[in-house]
Amino acid sequence: MKMQRRNPSLLVAFFVVLVATEAILVLAQGNGNGNGNNNGNGNGNGNNNGNGNSNNNKKKTAAEEYQLLSPSAKGQERAFCKGRGACHYKTLVCPEECPQRKPKKNRKKKGCFIDCSSKCEVTCKYRKANCNGYGSLCYDPRFIGGDGVMFYFHGAKGADFAIVSDDNLHINAHFIGTRPATRTRDFTWVQALSVMFDAHTLVISADRVSHWDDNVDALIIRWDGETVTIPADGEAEWRTDKVVVERTDDTNNVRVTVDGLLEMDVRVAPIGAEENRVHNYQLPADDAFAHLETQFRFKNLTEKVEGVLGQTYRPGYVSPVKRGVPMPVMGGEDKYRTPSLFSPLCKLCRFFPAAKGVAEY
C-alpha cells in the first residue's frame, strides 16, 4: 500500500505558530533608580527609536531591536523583542511606575527604557542631562570625562573650542561669558554646540533672553543652516535619516541622537539671581545668560579621538588635572581653539568633513 506524503508547507506553518506562541511575557519590577549614566560610552537607553517609524536603513543595536505592541489594559507600553539572544521573541512590558517611553512631563515622570539585549529588561529613568554623570558638560564649564575625572575648562568669552574631534565626528562649543573688574579671567558658559559629521552640521543653542521663564522655549535647533521646529505634540520629535531630536519636556529639554555616533541630553538653563550672588558673577540685569547643560554618550569613537572632552575617552588616558582641589582645571585652549563654531580646524583636530575644503573655513 502506498503511503500518503505529508505536506512540508504545513509542517513549516506549524513550526512558526509554535515558536510564536512561546513568546515570554516579562514584567519589570520598576526599580526606578537608574539614571542611564553609569558609563560614558554606552547608549544607556535602548528605546530611542523603537517606535516602528525609524528609517529602514538605520542599524539598531540589540537593545533597540523591538516592535511596539498595543498598550496593556492599564496603559503600559509593550515591546516585542526581535533581536537574537536571550531576549529573542520575548515581550517586555513597561512597569506601572513609568508606563510610557516618552512621558510629557519628564521633570516629574520617569521614562520607560526598553532593553532587548542580553539584559532583557525595562527600567525607569529620567530622560535629562545628569551633570554628575560621565560625559557631562555643565555650569561654568565643568566636565566629567569618559574616565570619570571632573575638571573645569575656562576657555574664553566669545571663543569656540573643539569638545570632540574624531575621524567621523566633530563637536564645537561656543562660549559666552563676563569678566567683572576685579577678575583676571572670564566667567564662561557654553551657549551653543555644533555637531559635524559627514557633510552635515547640527547646531543646538540657547537663545539670549533678558528674563528667564520656564514656560518659554529658549532652545534653537538648526540643521545645515536652516532653523527647524520641534513639534510639541504627538511624538514631539523632528528627524532626518540620521538624526532624531525629541523633546523631553514641554520646553528647553531635548534628546539628540545621531545614528551610530552619539546620543546627547541637552537642557537650556539660566543663571539665577541666587547663583549670581553666591558666585559674584556680577551679571547685567537684562541678560539671563541662558546656556546649555549637556550629557554625551558616544558610540564608535576611535582610539585617537581628540578634543577637550574627547581625549578623556582614549584607552589608557591619564588626566593631567590636579586631584583633590575644589576646581581642577584642564588646559589646552591653544590646542583646541577653532576659528568659529562651524570650523573643524584646530591644532589637534582630526575631523575633515566630506565634500568641503579648508578654504571654506
Side-chain angles (χ1 to χ4, degrees):
M1 182 176 65
K2 189 176 181 179
M3 296 182 64
Q4 185 177 2
R5 296 180 62 187
R6 294 183 180 179
N7 190 334
S9 62
L10 292 177
L11 293 175
V12 172
F14 176 78
F15 178 75
V16 171
V17 171
L18 180 63
V19 171
T21 56
E22 290 180 348
I24 300 173
L25 184 67
V26 180
L27 280 171
Q29 298 303 313
N31 57 23
N33 60 1
N35 61 17
N37 305 310
N38 291 332
N39 73 68
N41 214 21
N43 58 23
N45 57 51
N47 80 327
N48 292 335
N49 295 297
N51 55 18
N53 297 320
S54 59
N55 187 281
N56 290 332
N57 295 323
K58 177 178 173 62
K59 294 181 180 179
K60 295 182 179 180
T61 65
E64 299 169 327
E65 283 286 357
Y66 62 81
Q67 177 183 352
L68 280 184
L69 304 176
S70 58
S72 70
K74 294 183 179 180
Q76 297 158 259
E77 292 187 356
R78 302 185 303 147
F80 180 67
C81 297
K82 299 189 294 183
R84 299 293 180 183
C87 216
H88 186 57
Y89 280 2
K90 292 185 180 180
T91 298
L92 303 183
V93 181
C94 293
E96 293 185 14
E97 180 187 353
C98 56
Q100 297 176 323
R101 295 171 304 123
K102 299 180 180 181
K104 294 300 180 183
K105 300 293 183 181
N106 283 269
R107 276 186 282 188
K108 300 180 179 67
K109 295 182 180 180
K110 296 178 180 180
C112 174
F113 284 64
I114 298 171
D115 189 343
C116 284
S117 69
S118 59
K119 291 183 177 180
C120 201
E121 65 180 11
V122 289
T123 52
C124 297
K125 304 174 185 177
Y126 288 112
R127 300 186 334 130
K128 59 183 181 180
N130 176 7
C131 287
N132 293 313
Y134 289 85
S136 59
L137 165 52
C138 302
Y139 315 134
D140 177 11
R142 192 195 76 172
F143 293 75
I144 297 182
D147 57 351
V149 176
M150 182 270 286
F151 64 90
Y152 288 82
F153 179 83
H154 296 315
K157 173 184 176 182
D160 303 280
F161 297 90
I163 301 302
V164 175
S165 188
D166 206 5
D167 293 350
N168 56 2
L169 174 69
H170 186 96
I171 303 174
N172 281 346
H174 178 72
F175 285 49
I176 56 173
T178 184
R179 182 183 295 189
T182 56
R183 295 282 297 179
T184 58
R185 69 162 186 87
D186 299 329
F187 287 119
T188 53
W189 299 268
V190 171
Q191 181 266 336
L193 294 167
S194 177
V195 180
M196 291 169 261
F197 63 97
D198 296 339
H200 299 294
T201 302
L202 176 70
V203 176
I204 305 104
S205 61
D207 196 11
R208 185 186 186 281
V209 292
S210 299
H211 302 284
W212 184 256
D213 185 343
D214 283 334
N215 298 315
V216 177
D217 208 1
L219 183 71
I220 300 174
I221 307 291
R222 291 188 177 91
W223 171 249
D224 289 342
E226 299 292 330
T227 301
V228 300
T229 301
I230 313 301
D233 53 4
E235 287 291 312
E237 66 180 32
W238 172 89
R239 64 169 59 221
T240 70
D241 60 336
K242 292 188 175 182
V243 176
V244 180
V245 182
E246 55 176 311
R247 290 192 182 276
T248 52
D249 208 340
D250 293 339
T251 59
N252 298 312
N253 288 263
V254 292
R255 169 167 290 178
V256 178
T257 304
V258 180
D259 184 29
L261 294 176
L262 85 155
E263 179 183 86
M264 50 196 289
D265 290 314
V266 185
R267 174 173 60 240
V268 179
I271 301 298
E274 181 63 14
E275 185 179 358
N276 183 31
R277 183 192 67 80
V278 169
H279 294 282
N280 195 29
Y281 290 143
Q282 301 180 37
L283 301 181
D286 62 346
D287 192 343
F289 271 75
H291 59 282
L292 303 181
E293 295 181 350
T294 308
Q295 185 180 19
F296 300 92
R297 287 173 290 277
F298 300 104
K299 303 177 183 179
N300 302 318
L301 292 176
T302 71
E303 294 184 355
K304 296 182 178 180
V305 60
E306 280 288 356
V308 178
L309 177 63
Q311 62 182 331
T312 68
Y313 285 84
R314 292 200 298 254
Y317 175 80
V318 178
S319 178
V321 302
K322 188 175 182 179
R323 311 290 182 90
V325 297
M327 290 188 67
V329 177
M330 175 78 74
E333 282 89 345
D334 60 327
K335 298 185 294 184
Y336 297 123
R337 188 161 186 164
T338 64
S340 75
L341 179 63
F342 309 103
S343 173
L345 304 179
C346 73
K347 289 182 179 179
L348 296 182
C349 287
R350 299 177 50 80
F351 179 76
F352 195 79
K356 288 187 178 182
V358 174
E360 296 186 45
Y361 303 101

